Amino acid sequence: MISKIIDEDLIQKTNSLLQKCDNIVLITHEYPDGDGLGSALAMYDYLSLEGKQVSVLLPNEIPSFLQWMPGADSVIVYEQDPETARSLLGQAEVIIFLDLNSMERVGAMASFISQLTVHTVLIDHHNLREKPIAHVEIQLPQIASTCELVFRYICRVGAFEKLSKDCAVCIYTGMMTDTGAFTYNSQSNEMYLIINQLIVKGIDKDEIYKKVYGNYTENRMRLMGYALYEKMEVLPVYQTAIITLSREELDRFGHQAGDTEGLVNQPLNISDVRFSVFLREEEQNEIKISLRSEGDLSVSKIAADLFQGGGHFNASGATYRGSMQEALRIIKEALPNYLGTPEDEEDN
Ligand code: 5GP
Ligand code: MN
């Protein structure tokens, strides 16, 4: 039995809102990952079959390793087509935000959205905030992926029978990518009951794994090799590894969106590394920061403290407006505060 972990009142509120509205826009965060895109496309599939006028709106482009996803070709990207995006937002009766917990994460369209008078729903698994961002919020940080919440929602409104194979593929993709293919945050037994149901719907889990993780271009593989061999700095005293990639280096390897996905996890495979940092220069004075940790080190706190970022306990991120050197300096100077050496502790 899969337990009814989402509050009944929230299910009812969301369902009655979606029943009475026809025009629905689904939005996930910038630099979308498998869970963000998967949860939006799963809801897109479900609501389209319910006869709704639905669109998926992304702040920026779909990474290469997710472009195969069912429904991906119908997505509108704000950065590429702001006029269409604004017109869809203008017509929307409901906006559903998926897999994000702050409006900053929708990028440049945040200010446009803030001016709209529209019903809003949030489905998410990040940490709770002091101030809500939507009228109805289904937000459960204890659940490993937003896709799992979407599955639970669809079941709770009695629509499991109608859940399509495409929808199941999208849900599985997000469950898989937010748990590193079920290698972390993956101990809940109900997760596997849900996967069982998705297999009953006809997904091929091995094929999905291959499409997400086994579809590198040669350039991407060489970029990974370069980053790990030439660019990874290991600081044993702080059990930390740091990788930086400048715009020039990314361009040298013909970098496409998504090519560095997963790179930040690699240094954690070194037995003595428990904090991994990856800094990617998007453009001049815009550094995308990814932080990962093992164990009881909260990287969402580090991202928030140092860069006003956020995320999950062991996986977080931020954007820094400044140079690579500055970002690197801020991190290195902060290491003794978060990863004090045993000698430091004895001194205290
Ligand atoms: P990634 O390193 O894969 O880009 O992001 C890891 C996690 O950090 C994401 O799931 C998301 O929760 C969070 N995250 C990434 N970038 C940002 C950001 O710019 N701001 C905030 N608040 N969270 C972020
Ligand atoms: Mn997620």
Side-chain angles (χ1 to χ4, degrees):
M1 261 292 279
I2 298 170
S3 60
K4 292 186 171 180
I5 192 162
I6 306 173
D7 199 54
E8 183 60 28
D9 182 49
L10 292 174
I11 298 276
Q12 291 309 330
K13 275 189 183 144
T14 308
N15 193 32
S16 56
L17 184 62
L18 298 182
Q19 291 296 330
K20 72 172 190 232
C21 295
D22 272 329
N23 219 312
I24 302 166
V25 171
L26 305 164
I27 298 180
T28 188
H29 55 83
E30 56 184 350
Y31 305 107
D33 57 8
D35 191 35
L37 187 62
S39 55
L41 291 176
M43 281 302 276
Y44 173 78
D45 186 88
Y46 157 65
L47 291 169
S48 301
L49 291 175
E50 290 285 294
K52 303 291 174 183
Q53 190 68 40
V54 206
S55 6
V56 174
L57 198 51
L58 300 183
N60 58 2
E61 67 186 307
I62 300 180
S64 49
F65 68 98
L66 296 176
Q67 278 165 5
W68 59 271
M69 287 185 75
D73 47 7
S74 63
V75 162
I76 307 294
V77 176
Y78 186 85
E79 216 171 65
Q80 291 164 357
D81 192 356
E83 266 178 39
T84 306
R86 285 199 198 112
S87 132
L88 285 170
L89 286 167
Q91 291 159 26
E93 293 164 81
V94 188
I95 298 177
I96 309 181
F97 299 108
L98 295 127
D99 197 41
L100 56 91
N101 73 346
S102 108
M103 285 306 289
E104 281 160 32
R105 300 232 62 214
V106 305
M109 56 180 154
S111 62
F112 185 81
I113 293 173
S114 68
Q115 292 160 22
L116 300 170
T117 314
V118 59
H119 296 289
T120 50
V121 175
L122 173 71
I123 306 180
D124 179 52
H125 70 132
H126 290 90
N127 292 338
L128 307 171
R129 306 145 331 271
E130 282 164 24
K131 257 175 61 186
I133 58 171
H135 300 120
V136 185
E137 300 203 328
I138 297 177
Q139 197 174 37
L140 287 90
Q142 69 272 39
I143 297 295
S145 63
T146 301
C147 277
E148 181 176 332
L149 288 174
V150 166
F151 178 86
R152 288 169 179 273
Y153 173 80
I154 292 174
C155 292
R156 290 284 293 284
V157 296
F160 176 76
E161 292 307 319
K162 283 193 253 172
L163 192 153
S164 73
K165 179 182 168 187
D166 279 354
C167 185
V169 166
C170 294
I171 290 170
Y172 182 78
T173 302
M175 291 178 69
M176 178 183 81
T177 53
D178 263 24
T179 56
F182 309 101
T183 59
Y184 48 77
N185 284 345
S186 59
Q187 194 60 11
S188 124
N189 70 66
E190 294 198 356
M191 189 181 285
Y192 301 94
L193 296 177
I194 292 171
I195 294 169
N196 176 287
Q197 304 283 296
L198 298 175
I199 290 174
V200 169
K201 287 288 178 181
I203 67 158
D204 181 335
K205 60 187 279 302
D206 299 351
E207 186 185 304
I208 295 172
Y209 182 93
K210 179 79 185 148
K211 282 178 171 165
V212 172
Y213 296 113
N215 222 349
Y216 280 46
T217 57
E218 182 183 339
N219 263 339
R220 182 179 175 190
M221 188 59 94
R222 292 196 187 282
L223 175 62
M224 289 282 176
Y226 170 74
L228 293 172
Y229 187 68
E230 301 266 352
K231 298 302 309 279
M232 181 176 66
E233 183 181 5
V234 179
L235 303 162
V237 175
Y238 298 114
Q239 297 179 299
T240 293
I242 303 176
I243 297 174
T244 61
L245 287 173
S246 69
R247 191 66 256 165
E248 183 279 318
E249 288 167 321
L250 293 162
D251 289 345
R252 207 190 310 158
F253 289 88
H255 176 265
Q256 296 171 9
D259 277 2
T260 56
E261 181 73 21
L263 177 60
V264 66
N265 294 310
Q266 290 300 321
L268 292 177
N269 292 324
I270 302 171
S271 58
D272 289 335
V273 169
R274 65 184 186 110
F275 180 41
S276 173
V277 177
F278 171 47
L279 305 179
R280 186 179 73 221
E281 186 178 34
E282 283 303 317
E283 51 189 78
Q284 208 184 359
N285 287 330
E286 185 181 329
I287 310 294
K288 183 78 191 75
I289 298 169
S290 287
L291 307 178
R292 297 291 186 275
S293 67
E294 273 174 1
D296 60 2
L297 177 70
S298 168
V299 289
S300 53
K301 178 162 169 39
I302 299 179
D305 290 352
L306 302 183
F307 302 108
Q308 288 94 48
H312 306 280
F313 194 90
N314 293 123
S316 71
T319 301
Y320 178 67
R321 310 266 167 209
S323 71
M324 182 71 92
Q325 285 81 354
E326 285 159 0
L328 201 52
R329 182 183 55 76
I330 292 170
I331 288 169
K332 286 188 171 175
E333 283 183 6
L335 287 177
N337 300 336
Y338 297 100
L339 290 119
T341 62
E343 290 78 23
D344 289 344
E345 278 163 26
E346 278 164 25
D347 289 346
N348 289 336

